[in-house]
Each structure stands twice: as C-alpha cells, then as structure tokens.
Amino acid sequence: MNELSSPGSTPAPLRGRVMRLVQRHGADLENSLQSSLNAATAGARRVWHLDCDFDNGGPWSGVHTLFAQILPQLQTLAPDLVERHDYELLSVLPELRKSLKPRFATLTDLAPPTERIRLFPADRALRIVHGLIDLLAAFKSLDEPGSWVITCQSFDRSGDLCRSFFSHLVRRQGRQLELLLITIEDEPASGCAFGTAPTSTVYVAPPTLPESRPPTEEARQEALQLESSPDRNEDSFQLQIPRLIRLWGRAGQPERRLRWQHEAFIQATLHGYYADALSYAQDLLAHLDDFCGNDEQRRWNIVVKVAACYSALDRSDEALTLLQQAALDRLQNPRWIAQAHYMIAMLHARYLADKDLAQAEAHLDLGLEFLARAELPEDQRHFESVFNRNGMAFARHRQGDPAEAIELCRVGLQELEEHLGEEEHKLHRSVLRYNIAQVYAASGQLDEAWHQYTAAMAMDVNHSEYYNERGNVLFKQGRLDEAIADYERAKTLSPPYPEVFVNLGQCFRMKGDFDRAIAYFETALDLDPTQNWVWVMKAECLEEKGCLREALRDYEVALELAPHQPLVLGNRARLHYEAGSFAEALEDLNRALLLSPDTADLYQNRAIALLALDRKDEAARDLETYLLRNPQAADAGEVETTLAGLRSVPVEALSQPGSLREMEGV
C-alpha cells in the first residue's frame, strides 16, 4: 500500500487519538468505510495505509511497510539515524541485509545453528519495538510540521508484534507525532490497549470488493514459481513465506503449507518473536506425527522450540506437559531424550511457579545417563555433557552452594578448551564465564565477579547485558563513574530496555545529581510505566530537589500500581503532613500499619500526625508502642519526655516535632 502526502495540518482534536473503524457486513449504516477514512485523513501532513493481517505479512505485518516507505527519506535526511537504529531496521526490513550490516552483532546473532545454545531474551522483540518508535520520533523532528495518520487494515488479524508496536507508539509518542491511528477491524481487537489516548469506535459499512482468491491451480503455480525464485536463499525471501503459506493453503496442499509454516516458526523463534512463533506452531503441533513421521530430530527441534516459546511467555506448565507428552513419551533416540530431561530440569529450576530443585537435579542426572548411551562424535559428547553440568551449576546456585556451582562451570569451561577447537562454541564459553560471574556476584565476591564478566565480554564484545551486569558490580563497589561507563555502553549496544536506564538513574542519584537521575528514571518509565519502584525512586529524587507536589504525584502513581506498600504509604504521609494535610497523612499511616504492624517508625509518625489533629491520647499509645517495638531507639529519651508531657500539659504547649520521619527500605 502507498503513502499519501498532502499539505496542511490536522485539526487539534486528531492529535494523539485512536479511531477504531469496525466493519459490519450487511448492516444498514450511514457511514461507509471510505467516507470515514476520507473525513479522518483530510488535512494530514502524512497518511500511511498499512495491511496488518498476520497471514499476509507475518510478525511485522504493516510495520514493515511503514518503515520501507520511510527509509528512503531517512537515508537522505539523516543517514546517521539509519546507522544508529541499524539493528531495529534490519529486524523489520530483512531485505536491507545485503547493504547494511549491524554494528553490534552478538554471538547470539552470529553463532551457527548447531552452536546457538541461547535464544534471545523474552524482551528482545519489545526492545526492537521501542527502538523503532524512537526512530519514528526522530524522523518526525526532521519532518515538516503537520499531523500524521496511520490506518491499519485488518488490525484484528494482526500478530503480537504488530499490536505491540502500535499500542506502544500511541502511548509513548501519539501526542508528539500528532498521530491519529485508525484501525480497521471486523471485530474490535482484544488485548490491545493504547494507554490514555482518546479512543473512539465507529461502525462502518465495508466496501464491496471482488473475490481476489486465485483458483486452486493458479495458486499452486504461483507457489511453485515463488519456491523456485533465485532469491530463495536470501534474507529478503523471509517476506515471501506468509504468501507461500497462504498459497499452498488455497492450492489444497496442506503438507506443503505445513512445510512453510515450519520454516516461519523456526525463523520467528530464532529472532525471539515468541508469541508470533506460537501462531505458526499451532498447526505444527496438531499434525506433529504426520509432519515428523519417524524423524525424531525434526520432532525434537519443534518440541524444544515450542517449549522455549512457552517458557518465555510465562506458560511453563504448558511447556512441561508438551515435553512430557510429545518428547519423553514418544522419543527413542537417547540424545534427544537427554536434551528433553535437561529442558524439564530447567523448567523445575527456573521457570515453573513451584520450583523443585530436587526434581531438576534428578532430570539432569537422567540426562547424563541417556547421553552416555547416545552415539555421538566425541567433541559433541563433551559439549553436551558440559551443557548438562551447566544446568546442574544453576541448580547448585539456587540451592545455596556457590562453590560447587562455580566449580562445575570452571571444569566445564576447561573441558571445552581441551576438547574443542578454538573457534568452536564460543557462545557457550562466554555463557559459562557469565554464569560464574553471576554466582560470584550473588555471593558477594565482587572482584571475582568483575573479572569473570570482563572475560565473558572479551568473548562477546557486543552483548549489552554483560556490560549492564558488570556495571551492577561496580555500583555495589561504589565505583560509580566506572559503572556509568558500563551502563552507557550497554545502552549503546542494544535497542532500549528499562533496566539500564534505571541503573543509570541510581548512579546519578548516589552522586547527588538528581536532575540527571530523574531524566533516566523518566526514560525507563516511558519504556515501561508499570515499574512502581522506579516511580518511588523518582519521587525521592524530587523530594531532594524540594519538588514536593511532583513527588506526591509520583508516590500516588506507585501506589496505584501496587497499593500494598507500607513504606511508600509512610513516605506519602510525610508529604501530606508537610503540606498541612494531616487527615490524609493519618489515613496513609493507618493503611501502612495495617500492612506492616511491626514497623516501629510508622507508630512514631502516626503519633505526630495524631498530635497535629489534637488526638493526644491516641498519640501517646502510638509512642508507647514505638518504644515497645524499638526499645533501643536513639531517640528513646526524647520520646519518653514527650510521653510525660502528653500526660500533664495541653497539646498546644508541647514542643512539636518538625516533620514525620522518612521511611527507609522503600
């Protein structure tokens, strides 16, 4: 679909809005789809019409078209932006890989399929989404003034990535982009929120379109022609896979359709698009026996990747059931059985809600037993044995035995170095170093952790998380400038993710630079506004600057997200008190004490609020409780004096404390 440009500007009501055009077939509606679109797009600076149907475009349906159309202008206006966002653009525009190489590819990106022992983190797709949104915002700043309109055809049939992109785009940049997002749907798409953007729903009569489905034989011929394309082995051919799936379905050849669904599933999983990968996996699982036959390797490759998708999406119970029923109950080859036991062990140790380290250990030992029976080349046997013991190291770490966890990783690393070539399994070697570093860091051996993180980074120089984790070690050591350098490098190496901005904010907070700390916290919250603890840290920085009204607002947001936070309630009570809102302060302290009746400082603070409300008997009881729960308090003598005065003089004659005590440990 094509971009339309027109001069002028959209009226103010269109800024940062969502309009859902829901098509009602056969309904006698006054508004047609086209007339509604014409009215909504009139006067816009830019209009994009996108087909967001997952079946037509795959995970990036619609988003691919948007950036493909913007790219030529970006390359002309700001080639530096193309370079800065190369990772995101290469993810959504695979055809660029002929001409553009990522600056910061990691070993996870580069490892051959046989050595890719680590999939991307579950948030990798969301990082790409946020990076693309940042790129659009930068492009808007270079564009001529005026509003933007994006129409999303078939939005109710879009995939997870597409919905995620547009929902976060509206939430984060809708107003700044002067954006009207129009979704065209047969039914309102569920599970897609647009933040606080005004959203309206209009029911429209759809256009009457001619039947566009090619007859069976035409679909078959078109699919065969696509399959014989000279670009078959190029990255850009990924864009043709949804079309092949659709064509073979129309041609009535489900086995060939399934073959391309398998390819799409593998690609989506390897790229970390786990929710969309499962859309392709549904048919594969339904026809697993027919599709795999006696090919146990194919069966295992599908099952393990589906299980990994489930785990990444917090559906670990489904992963466990799948591994048991589709792998352990069906496989005969001891190699795949060994790997299935490893996966089940990791579910018990890492992912399931009810962790069971004894079960994890038992499955890992079973994995080694089956591995010993497998017919494998010696170098592969060494690798898989080390991989299994790496899982045991994780279990030992969770069991509170850091020494054995470190030793298992160290011995495994030595075994790989002795039995594999220097260039083999570099990813796994870096992961072993990283795992050792994590155990050292968790057990407080920070110097050793720093050295191991540094060794892992030497092997995988562009892995953002390694810099972020080493920065955490430096932060704990009080080496703030070095920590900031690591966090900044982590930020450069990856599309944006909240954690690194939170860490930078904490560093500058410790340095007393509250303005910069607040700016980093705000960036983290722009990426993920559900982090209640970040709202609290930002509020505390605002307090330090004397911005009490703004701090109070942020405490309120934190408590809306997580109401049962007694120490945050205590801090909000302090701000209410300082603003003279004594009743509100008392209400917060009452709630805090219901949640944390053993926190002594809350009783002292409530006593102060009660005194301000002329309720001295209740205040006296709270001060007595404070001393009972904290008999060694440094201010015990002062409190005793206040108590004595409460029994003998009017409240107004007492020396009033200046303010409520700040609650620590928030």
Side-chain angles (χ1 to χ4, degrees), residues 417-524:
E417 291 172 347
E418 288 177 358
H419 295 281
L420 300 182
E422 186 176 341
E423 294 301 311
E424 290 183 283
H425 287 292
K426 293 174 72 174
L427 174 59
H428 191 34
R429 297 182 205 208
S430 77
V431 169
L432 287 170
R433 291 282 190 193
Y434 173 68
N435 290 347
I436 294 172
Q438 285 188 303
V439 176
Y440 275 134
S443 59
Q445 302 177 71
L446 300 182
D447 288 337
E448 291 83 355
W450 185 91
H451 286 294
Q452 292 298 330
Y453 280 127
T454 302
M457 291 155 64
M459 299 177 186
D460 199 354
V461 295
N462 294 326
H463 197 89
S464 175
E465 286 83 348
Y466 289 176
Y467 289 89
N468 185 58
E469 297 275 0
R470 191 176 72 172
N472 291 344
V473 169
L474 292 165
F475 178 83
K476 291 175 183 176
Q477 292 178 315
R479 299 158 63 181
L480 297 181
D481 290 333
E482 294 171 84
I484 289 170
D486 268 0
Y487 292 142
E488 288 288 354
R489 185 61 178 166
K491 182 161 67 76
T492 299
L493 291 173
S494 169
Y497 58 106
E499 183 183 352
V500 70
F501 293 97
V502 173
N503 291 340
L504 280 163
Q506 289 179 302
C507 280
F508 284 104
R509 182 186 180 192
M510 290 293 290
K511 289 168 71 74
D513 188 341
F514 299 113
D515 287 328
R516 292 185 72 179
I518 289 167
Y520 280 119
F521 290 147
E522 286 177 343
T523 301

Side-chain angles (χ1 to χ4, degrees), residues 18 35 47 54 69 102 173 260 284 367 412 448 529 562 564 597 627 630 650:
V18 177
S35 64
V47 180
F54 181 87
Q69 293 176 3
Q173 292 291 333
W260 286 107
L284 287 172
E448 291 83 355
H564 304 304
L627 291 176
N630 191 14

Side-chain angles (χ1 to χ4, degrees), residues 404-420:
E404 186 175 350
I406 290 168
E407 182 64 10
L408 283 165
C409 290
R410 187 194 65 77
V411 169
L413 187 59
Q414 182 178 342
E415 185 175 343
L416 291 181
E417 291 172 347
E418 288 177 358
H419 295 281
L420 300 182

Side-chain angles (χ1 to χ4, degrees), residues 20-36:
R20 310 186 90 153
L21 299 182
V22 180
Q23 301 180 109
R24 288 298 169 96
H25 293 269
D28 183 19
L29 295 168
E30 183 176 339
N31 293 328
S32 71
L33 173 62
Q34 193 57 54
S35 64
S36 296

Side-chain angles (χ1 to χ4, degrees), residues 25 28 76 83 106 171 179 239 243 270 291 303 371 401 447 532 590 614:
H25 293 269
D28 183 19
T76 301
E83 180 177 297
T106 68
R171 178 185 64 80
L179 175 65
L239 301 172
R243 187 176 168 198
L270 291 179
F291 184 67
V303 169
L371 190 59
D401 191 347
D447 288 337
N532 72 82
N590 286 339
D614 198 18

Side-chain angles (χ1 to χ4, degrees), residues 35-46:
S35 64
S36 296
L37 287 174
N38 291 342
T41 59
R45 159 67 184 152
R46 293 186 183 274

